[in-house]
Amino acid sequence: GAGVSQSPSNKVTEKGKDVELRCDPISGHTALYWYRQSLGQGLEFLIYFQGNSAPDKSGLPSDRFSAERTGGSVSTLTIQRTQQEDSAVYLCASSRWHGAGDNEQFFGPGTRLTVL
Amino acid sequence: DQQVKQNSPSLSVQEGRISILNCDYTNSMFDYFLWYKKYPAEGPTFLISISSIKDKNEDGRFTVFLNKSAKHLSLHIVPSQPGDSAVYFCAASSVGGDDKIIFGKGTRLHILP
């Protein structure tokens, strides 16, 4: 596709349930990022992938959060035993490679997660 | 510990006037700075960036100024247009460091008719 896509766009779940969020990056982009934006907060880095490997998982808030990327393309972010504080917009971004400087990150529209 | 701070949650500016969005950072290792714009229900989109070797970068109506000694940058939009109403995120990174982009909390800009 032309841009980064994410699904679902909205997810409402009950506390304690597991959820899976999906990201389709721009074709050919080797780097993929997950961010979270909670109400009134900035974009909080969660994890990034270079290809299929995740060199930096430092932003994952707890061991209930995990992510994988297969085939250097689609990524899924899984949240187990969801809690109300997990409610946020989860944004995915991709870029040609991982690196700062002139290497724009393109964002998807996000998944709004609401945990009741 | 916020490394990138946008102290104004919102800003209202009359159409046609200049909008100035401010951003402060604490990490002296940051050497590349970006502004992203976000409309509701959409992901952020890249707007303009500046490297620490410069103090100004201009792109059409958008200009970013960097004051390294003050660890401060600002985004100027002139003239402001209704379509500029959005949330603006300031971001910073360290090229050759961990290369992660650190975002501020954003400033919501309202352009008044």
Side-chain angles (χ1 to χ4, degrees):
Chain A
V4 178
S5 61
Q6 292 185 245
S7 61
S9 55
N10 278 284
K11 177 71 177 179
V12 180
T13 190
E14 293 178 348
K15 178 181 171 182
K17 301 279 190 182
D18 298 352
V19 295
E20 204 170 84
L21 312 180
R22 176 187 168 109
C23 172
D24 279 274
I26 292 173
S27 177
H29 280 192
T30 63
L32 184 149
Y33 303 82
W34 283 99
Y35 295 89
R36 174 170 77 171
Q37 186 182 14
S38 304
L39 191 64
Q41 300 298 313
L43 278 71
E44 175 191 4
F45 168 82
L46 298 179
I47 187 171
Y48 89 89
F49 291 89
Q50 179 62 46
N52 290 337
S53 65
D56 189 343
K57 303 179 182 180
S58 62
L60 295 177
S62 76
D63 59 8
R64 296 186 295 105
F65 288 71
S66 63
E68 64 175 18
R69 188 181 186 195
T70 54
S73 182
V74 172
S75 176
T76 54
L77 176 70
T78 302
I79 310 173
Q80 295 178 308
R81 304 181 303 281
T82 51
Q83 304 293 312
Q84 288 182 331
E85 61 262 28
D86 300 335
S87 297
V89 176
Y90 290 82
L91 289 156
C92 175
S94 71
S95 61
R96 287 173 292 169
W97 62 83
H98 173 65
D102 186 18
N103 181 28
E104 181 182 345
Q105 289 188 17
F106 294 83
F107 282 83
T111 294
R112 180 176 295 279
L113 175 66
T114 303
V115 182
L116 302 177
Chain B
D1 179 29
Q2 272 189 273
Q3 297 187 65
V4 178
K5 301 177 185 179
Q6 294 178 259
N7 293 320
S8 297
S10 67
L11 175 68
S12 295
V13 174
Q14 207 76 34
E15 181 179 354
R17 306 294 288 269
I18 183 170
S19 296
I20 301 176
L21 296 100
N22 292 303
C23 177
D24 298 290
Y25 61 96
T26 58
N27 189 339
S28 58
M29 298 301 292
F30 288 147
D31 54 11
Y32 197 80
F33 305 89
L34 312 93
W35 285 93
Y36 277 79
K37 176 179 179 179
K38 184 181 185 302
Y39 292 118
E42 295 182 13
T45 55
F46 170 77
L47 189 58
I48 193 169
S49 63
I50 187 168
S51 164
S52 60
I53 62 172
K54 294 185 175 182
D55 54 19
K56 176 182 174 181
N57 188 25
E58 190 172 352
D59 183 3
R61 297 185 298 113
F62 303 91
T63 304
V64 56
F65 294 91
L66 175 63
N67 182 333
K68 283 174 292 188
S69 61
K71 295 193 179 69
H72 177 84
L73 64 154
S74 60
L75 174 68
H76 293 212
I77 306 173
V78 55
S80 300
Q81 299 175 353
D84 297 330
S85 294
V87 176
Y88 290 79
F89 289 99
C90 173
S93 63
S94 172
V95 178
D98 64 10
D99 288 309
K100 284 192 297 192
I101 297 179
I102 307 298
F103 288 85
K105 290 187 177 183
T107 295
R108 184 177 298 278
L109 177 64
H110 300 270
I111 303 302
L112 306 171

